[in-house]
Amino acid sequence: MSEPADVPASTVPSQLPRAVVIGGGLAGLLTAGALRPYADITVVERDALPEEPGPRRGVPQARHAHLLWSGGARAMEELLPGVTDAWLAAGARRIPLPTGLVSLSAQGWVRRWPEMEFMISCSRDLLESVIRAEVVRQSRITVVQGTELRGLEGDASRVTGVRIRTADGEERVLAADLVVDASGRGSRATRWLDALGVPPAPLGEVDSGLVYASRVFRAPAGTEEFPVVNVQPDAARPVPGQSATIVPIEGGRWLVTLSGTRGGQPTASAEEFETFARNLRHPVVGELIARAEPLTDVVVTRSTVNRRRFYEKVTGWPEGFVAIGDSVATYNPLYGHGMSVAAQSALALRERVATHGITSAGLARRVQRAVAGPVTVAWQLATETDMRYPDAIGEQPGFGRRVLTRYVNRLMRTATGRPLVFRVFLGVMTLSKPLSALLSPEMLLAVVRGPLKAPLTGPPLTEGERAAVFGA
């Protein structure tokens, strides 16, 4: 899908449709970029946004490892052409997958096959800062900071705008033809819609009790091209799911994130950080960070519940209102799908607006149903694994899902030794292919046949990578 061309100034109507985007984070910025060719846009943001890459109150999870898979990166590039080069110029890395990945999956070590997909590796602060710079310099987008969203205007059939309170305490109404809620995990959309008389959306939750703990290290000299390294849990074992991941980020640093489900969570203790990493299914992450210099304290996050609001199922969904990104669903961050889902959802929004127009009847419902596509893929990948950990809270899988889980386990084992299977599996994990790709006749036959190569017995670090960290 190509980027829509700007409308020549001579043909611009006297007043374009008006859109309000709630939230100036990543999802909100991508939404503004998606709508820019078709509307005058006001982005309403509660926080003060940093000028340079830096933390902000509304995104506490930014301090942990973020994975921008190729499916999300491609979507962002479509929305904001040139953003990939801007990330790389700012210090991010494009890491080929699985070539630049040393990973112990639930079924064994992943082979470093030639590139099949890729990821963008950097801090969340840098990633969002570059997107913000790309968006705010564009015409027809106004970002209003330090402004609180008080509620929606309209009724159960149509949202006509929003009520806001500015930093100086002034309350006023912003009229809009389309309001998009991209306010994230803390979204109050259900409360706003309830006040208008909109029926409640069904809610799904799966809580594995996951806790995240992260710390930044100075990477050892000579590791500028070091791979992403992680040790994943095996949900088939009746023990808490624990993991550790090293993500190389800008400035010659490693962002290291530990995680553990209920009964096996990491703590904020700096003394216990390396020990936790060493006590996983393999100690490689602990061994590597023992050679790196800690630069920060340990930061812990506990708000990791998988939560989805099925807005697409609401009868009588109001015209003029759409929810997107974490306002619709949040996932266990271990799988790294949140940012990619937000980008693909913004693309779906742009496509429907381009086809039907912002003011067309039924647009909001069309968009909400389209957004459910990428949301469902990420939701199924996260929740079907998380429900298998001890004391997880949520709906237990039925017989059909248990059969599918056994198939996927065999598929993952096959993928460790058969490149065709791994290519398709990686395509699904990076949100570059649909879930149905796992069930194609070619895949079914390959999974029945099993892996072509014997399992690896240890982490596939190269001699050069080992020498850079551990010495000759």
Side-chain angles (χ1 to χ4, degrees), residues 47-133:
D47 292 345
L49 298 173
E51 296 275 340
E52 301 293 332
R56 61 185 183 89
R57 185 180 60 182
V59 193
Q61 69 271 24
R63 294 171 292 183
H64 305 292
H66 277 67
L67 306 178
L68 178 55
W69 300 118
S70 42
R74 292 187 189 105
M76 293 184 195
E77 182 67 27
E78 282 199 55
L79 292 164
L80 301 169
V83 72
T84 305
D85 288 341
W87 285 324
L88 301 182
R93 282 178 55 199
R94 182 191 184 281
I95 296 182
L97 298 176
T99 323
L101 179 65
V102 172
S103 177
L104 178 59
S105 74
Q107 301 298 330
W109 290 101
V110 171
R111 279 184 162 81
R112 297 172 72 174
W113 310 106
E115 179 173 345
M116 299 171 179
E117 296 289 342
F118 67 92
M119 66 174 288
I120 301 297
S121 180
C122 63
S123 69
R124 168 66 182 262
D125 293 339
L126 183 143
L127 190 86
E128 189 170 307
S129 174
V130 169
I131 290 175
R132 185 163 56 246

Side-chain angles (χ1 to χ4, degrees), residues 348-422:
L349 167 66
R350 189 181 77 177
E351 185 177 58
R352 272 67 185 179
V353 169
T355 301
H356 302 285
I358 282 181
T359 59
S360 64
L363 173 75
R365 177 170 287 281
R366 289 189 187 97
V367 172
Q368 211 63 64
R369 288 174 172 171
V371 164
V375 166
T376 296
V377 176
W379 179 257
Q380 291 182 350
L381 289 171
T383 59
E384 294 196 9
T385 298
D386 278 12
M387 273 307 302
R388 300 167 65 194
Y389 293 118
D391 300 320
I393 299 170
E395 181 183 358
Q396 291 294 330
F399 175 75
R401 285 171 58 187
R402 292 197 298 271
V403 171
L404 181 61
T405 295
R406 288 197 292 270
Y407 168 74
V408 171
N409 286 341
R410 181 173 176 83
L411 182 151
M412 291 173 61
R413 188 178 308 115
T414 302
T416 63
R418 188 181 283 267
L420 178 148
V421 174
F422 192 83

Side-chain angles (χ1 to χ4, degrees), residues 176-364:
D177 298 288
L178 179 66
V179 175
V180 181
D181 176 25
S183 55
R185 287 176 177 265
S187 169
R188 291 176 289 169
T190 53
R191 188 186 313 170
W192 301 330
L193 293 169
D194 182 66
L196 298 182
V198 177
L203 177 66
E205 289 188 337
V206 171
D207 181 8
S208 65
L210 189 78
V211 170
Y212 264 73
S214 292
R215 198 175 195 189
V216 177
F217 292 77
R218 177 71 62 197
T223 60
E224 292 78 12
E225 299 299 318
F226 210 74
V228 172
V229 180
N230 79 341
V231 175
Q232 302 172 22
D234 179 0
R237 300 171 62 194
V239 297
Q242 296 178 316
S243 74
T245 302
I246 298 175
V247 176
I249 63 173
E250 67 277 6
R253 297 174 296 163
W254 287 348
L255 174 53
V256 183
T257 293
L258 313 178
S259 76
T261 62
R262 193 170 284 108
Q265 298 119 325
T267 71
S269 168
E271 290 73 22
E272 296 175 1
F273 195 86
E274 180 187 323
T275 302
F276 184 99
R278 285 181 177 273
N279 288 335
L280 302 182
R281 295 172 58 214
H282 192 281
V284 62
V285 170
E287 293 168 352
L288 289 168
I289 63 176
R291 308 306 203 276
E293 174 193 357
L295 297 178
T296 68
D297 293 331
V298 180
V299 177
V300 171
T301 292
R302 301 179 184 276
S303 300
T304 59
V305 177
N306 298 281
R307 180 178 290 116
R308 179 179 180 183
R309 295 173 177 86
F310 291 83
Y311 288 131
E312 72 277 9
K313 296 184 179 182
V314 173
T315 302
W317 184 255
E319 300 282 3
F321 183 79
V322 168
I324 206 167
D326 285 1
S327 297
V328 177
T330 58
Y331 324 93
N332 176 342
L334 177 66
Y335 309 105
H337 286 146
M339 296 188 299
S340 294
V341 169
Q344 293 184 345
S345 298
L347 264 184
L349 167 66
R350 189 181 77 177
E351 185 177 58
R352 272 67 185 179
V353 169
T355 301
H356 302 285
I358 282 181
T359 59
S360 64
L363 173 75

Side-chain angles (χ1 to χ4, degrees), residues 20-24 42-46 144 147-149 162 164 174:
V20 170
V21 177
I22 307 168
T42 301
V43 179
V44 178
E45 171 54 46
R46 181 181 58 185
V144 182
T147 300
E148 181 184 2
L149 205 295
V162 298
I164 63 171
L174 296 179

